[in-house]
């Protein structure tokens, strides 16, 4: 596999041809915040937390969907990038009703941890307080739209790993919702296998095991790596971090 | 300045206030959980206003005010504005002041519907025979975090902030700096 050379934060580094910038940066041990990205799933490019500066373009590009190229000069941690990352997290917190103090995932939440790590100690935007429902029709799991960040990890893990494709997303912008089976109640889904991968992969308290109270929902993050370790590459659409979100579509 | 004057200036205590807007007072309970640290604190500060002290009016020329609770009604709004104009530094103390938190859970419900559900349709009635005018402060249409009402100088998140967080923040303030807490001490919730 051909090796390419690029510059990351002033240092010359080498990478394999075809790697995404995020993969290169992770290999270097860089601490780049991500929310929608999840090793083992296809890339989404949705959360914009891994935005980087690349010389020669004024656009900030997500490291997860950008392929590393020969001679590229990348900046990962400028004050401008940090400010945009803080804004992304603040907008996520303002968009729905994330009340950490009364959340099942309080203390075990990726959004909460991101906010603290990025220095978000208050939100400068007006909270939207949208009226959001919950779906508690499933026997074992619950869905709380108030806490969903639309990372679509649930959708991808269900489609790409479980192969059920129960989850999808409806509507646009602030009206977007994750849905099960063409917006049927989750408990009535004919495709859901009840495997719970979506619950474990969800970064917040949007998907949870029923019966959990405040701070009790601890998710098991390692399951995906274990499952995928036992599969060959062609068995999983997402593995290998394909550039295109949908893969080839015919796998 | 003579020696006595200098000593008086040196020993001038920092004028600290704490206020309780719309919150559960849990942040003040956490403040009391500083235990023996409070004794040292009161060597350095004079508590000039607080729900823990019997002071009726918010005084002038306060150095630091810790504000617990969100801004939910007209009384909160009025006090928040007085606090701001009379304090050198205003600190949002706990999640309700910082984010609205539990206090703001009512924001999805119109105020009139809320009052009807709680008072008019329930077993109890609104104080003042169904009309609260002049007896209980009018609710704002939406509960607001403190910084959306007045300028806030620093934020101390947590529900409640642990005594360790409060201690770190107060020590920074007493040293003349705005608190900059490490990531694990600035989480919401």
């Amino acid at each position: 596999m051909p090796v390419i050379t690029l510059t990351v934060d002033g240092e010359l580094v080498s990478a394999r041809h075809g790697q995404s910038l995020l993969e290169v940066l992770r290999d270097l041990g860089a601490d780049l915040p991500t929310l929608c990205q999840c090793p083992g799933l296809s890339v989404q490019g949705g959360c914009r937390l891994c935005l980087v500066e690349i010389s020669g373009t004024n656009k900030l590009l997500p490291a997860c969907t950008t392929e590393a190229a020969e001679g590229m000069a990348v900046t990962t941690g400028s004050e401008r990038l940090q400010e945009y990352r803080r804004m992304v997290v603040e907008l996520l917190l303002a968009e729905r009703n994330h009340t950490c103090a009364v959340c099942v995932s309080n203390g075990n939440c990726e959004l909460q941890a991101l906010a603290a790590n990025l220095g978000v100690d208050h939100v400068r935007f007006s909270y939207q307080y949208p009226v959001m429902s919950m779906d508690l029709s499933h026997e074992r799991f619950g869905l709380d739209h108030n806490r969903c960040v639309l990372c679509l990890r649930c959708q991808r893990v269900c489609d790409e790993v479980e192969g059920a494709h129960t989850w999808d997303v409806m509507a646009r912008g602030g009206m977007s919702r994750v849905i099960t089976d063409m917006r049927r109640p989750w408990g009535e889904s004919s495709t859901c296998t009840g495997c719970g991968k979506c619950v474990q992969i969800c970064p917040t308290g949007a998907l949870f095991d029923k019966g959990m109270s405040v701070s009790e929902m601890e998710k098991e993050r390692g399951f995906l790596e274990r499952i995928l370790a036992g599969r060959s590459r062609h068995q999983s659409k997402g593995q290998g971090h394909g550039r295109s979100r949908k893969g080839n579509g015919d796998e | 300045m003579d020696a006595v004057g200098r000593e008086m200036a040196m020993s001038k205590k920092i004028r600290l206030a704490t206020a309780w807007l719309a919150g559960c007072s849990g942040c003040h309970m956490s403040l009391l959980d500083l235990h023996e640290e409070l004794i040292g604190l009161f060597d350095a500060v004079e508590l000039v206003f607080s729900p823990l002290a019997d002071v009726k009016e918010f005084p002038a020329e306060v150095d630091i005010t810790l504000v617990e609770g969100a801004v939910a009604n007209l009384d909160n709004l009025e006090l928040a504005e007085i606090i701001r104009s009379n304090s050198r530094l205003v600190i949002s103390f706990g999640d309700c002041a910082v984010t609205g938190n539990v206090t703001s859970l009512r924001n999805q419900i119109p105020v009139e519907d809320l009052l009807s559900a709680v008072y008019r349709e329930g077993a109890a009635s609104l104080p003042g025979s169904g009309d609260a005018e002049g007896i209980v402060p009018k609710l704002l249409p939406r509960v607001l975090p403190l910084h959306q009402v007045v300028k806030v100088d620093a934020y101390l998140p947590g529900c409640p902030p642990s005594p360790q967080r409060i201690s770190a923040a107060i020590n920074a303030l007493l040293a003349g700096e705005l608190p900059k807490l490490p990531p694990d001490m600035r989480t919401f919730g």
Side-chain angles (χ1 to χ4, degrees):
Chain A
M1 200 177 276
V3 171
I4 56 170
T5 306
L6 60 158
T7 312
V8 174
D9 295 328
E11 302 271 329
L12 277 176
V13 302
S14 47
R16 292 190 306 279
H17 180 75
Q19 275 191 305
S20 75
L21 270 181
L22 185 63
E23 288 170 302
V24 175
L25 293 166
R26 287 274 189 262
D27 284 352
L28 292 170
D31 184 24
L32 208 62
T34 53
L35 191 57
C36 69
Q37 185 267 350
C38 194
L41 300 183
S42 64
V43 289
Q44 174 81 8
C47 73
R48 319 308 278 181
L49 282 166
C50 69
L51 287 176
V52 291
E53 291 169 358
I54 295 171
S55 65
T57 171
N58 282 327
K59 280 165 76 176
L60 301 176
L61 294 170
C64 64
T65 61
T66 306
E67 195 170 316
E70 178 69 37
M72 210 175 227
V74 184
T75 306
T76 65
S78 67
E79 186 42 49
R80 175 185 178 219
L81 288 168
Q82 288 299 88
E83 175 58 19
Y84 280 127
R85 287 171 190 153
R86 279 192 290 270
M87 280 168 68
V88 165
V89 169
E90 286 176 65
L91 286 165
L92 286 174
L93 290 169
E95 190 173 37
R96 301 223 174 169
N97 306 300
H98 297 278
T99 312
C100 297
V102 290
C103 179
V104 288
S105 289
N106 186 15
N108 305 302
C109 171
E110 291 185 34
L111 181 63
Q112 186 183 33
L114 272 171
N117 286 333
L118 290 169
V120 175
D121 59 5
H122 71 293
V123 171
R124 292 165 290 179
F125 305 105
S126 292
Y127 287 93
Q128 298 301 297
Y129 306 112
V131 178
M132 290 270 165
S133 61
M134 293 175 79
D135 183 345
L136 299 174
S137 60
H138 195 281
E139 193 187 348
R140 286 159 49 218
F141 310 127
L143 159 65
D144 185 352
H145 289 292
N146 292 285
R147 310 196 185 283
C148 176
V149 291
L150 296 169
C151 66
L152 303 190
R153 285 194 202 171
C154 54
Q155 188 269 328
R156 283 173 287 154
V157 80
C158 187
D159 175 40
E160 297 166 9
V161 182
E162 180 61 7
H165 200 124
T166 300
W167 292 101
D168 264 305
V169 61
M170 61 165 263
R172 299 180 67 80
M175 301 300 291
S176 301
R177 304 274 193 286
V178 288
I179 51 170
T180 44
D181 275 11
M182 308 297 278
R183 210 186 173 189
R184 303 268 298 150
W186 193 1
E188 294 170 23
S189 167
S190 58
T191 59
C192 175
T193 63
C195 72
K197 291 185 179 69
C198 53
V199 174
Q200 298 304 325
I201 207 93
C202 171
T204 70
L207 296 175
F208 54 93
D209 292 336
K210 276 188 170 176
M212 292 289 163
S213 184
V214 172
S215 302
E216 288 181 353
M217 186 68 217
E218 286 185 47
K219 302 197 175 180
E220 211 263 82
R221 305 289 187 202
F223 80 95
L224 193 55
E225 202 181 339
R226 276 203 313 278
I227 291 173
L228 294 177
R231 292 189 184 181
S232 61
R233 195 179 182 86
H234 74 271
Q235 281 178 303
S236 166
K237 280 196 224 173
Q239 204 173 20
H241 310 271
R243 291 294 84 68
S244 105
R245 181 184 151 194
K246 295 286 182 199
N248 292 327
D250 56 357
E251 286 169 63
Chain B
M1 197 186 290
D2 62 16
V4 177
R6 224 176 2 251
E7 194 172 291
M8 278 182 69
M10 293 277 285
S11 68
K12 189 172 176 295
K13 286 187 172 181
I14 290 168
R15 287 166 63 78
L16 175 75
T18 74
W20 179 16
L21 306 183
C24 71
S25 94
C27 300
H28 275 86
M29 296 303 112
S30 198
L31 176 69
L32 291 179
D33 282 342
L34 286 173
H35 294 303
E36 67 269 26
E37 228 185 295
L38 285 170
I39 297 166
L41 176 64
F42 286 116
D43 286 339
V45 307
E46 182 189 354
L47 191 66
V48 293
F49 182 88
S50 173
L52 306 168
D54 189 18
V55 183
K56 305 297 183 202
E57 289 203 6
F58 195 87
E61 292 181 19
V62 177
D63 293 309
I64 302 162
T65 304
L66 304 179
V67 182
E68 170 183 348
V71 179
N73 62 38
L74 289 179
D75 276 11
N76 299 153
L77 187 63
E78 190 184 3
L79 182 55
E81 282 166 357
I82 294 170
I83 288 168
R84 179 67 271 182
S85 60
N86 291 9
S87 311
R88 199 165 53 80
L89 293 175
V90 174
I91 316 298
S92 278
F93 177 32
D95 268 7
C96 287
V98 176
T99 73
N101 198 27
V102 173
T103 315
S104 68
L105 288 176
R106 70 128 154 123
N107 281 1
Q108 297 172 26
I109 308 165
V111 166
E112 276 309 305
D113 294 356
L114 193 73
L115 290 172
S116 288
V118 176
Y119 294 107
R120 299 189 186 107
E121 290 163 8
S125 60
L126 270 180
S129 64
D131 183 4
E133 205 66 49
I135 298 170
V136 291
K138 228 177 163 51
L139 295 180
L140 299 178
R142 273 186 173 180
V143 174
L144 298 168
L146 185 64
H147 65 272
Q148 290 188 8
V149 176
V150 295
K151 181 178 168 286
V152 168
D153 299 293
Y155 301 84
L156 183 47
C159 182
S162 64
Q164 292 74 28
R165 292 185 187 196
I166 299 172
S167 173
I170 288 182
N171 285 331
L173 289 164
L174 294 186
E177 293 159 8
L178 287 177
K180 277 219 177 302
L181 300 179
D184 63 330
M185 287 176 89
R186 63 186 181 213
T187 50
F188 300 121

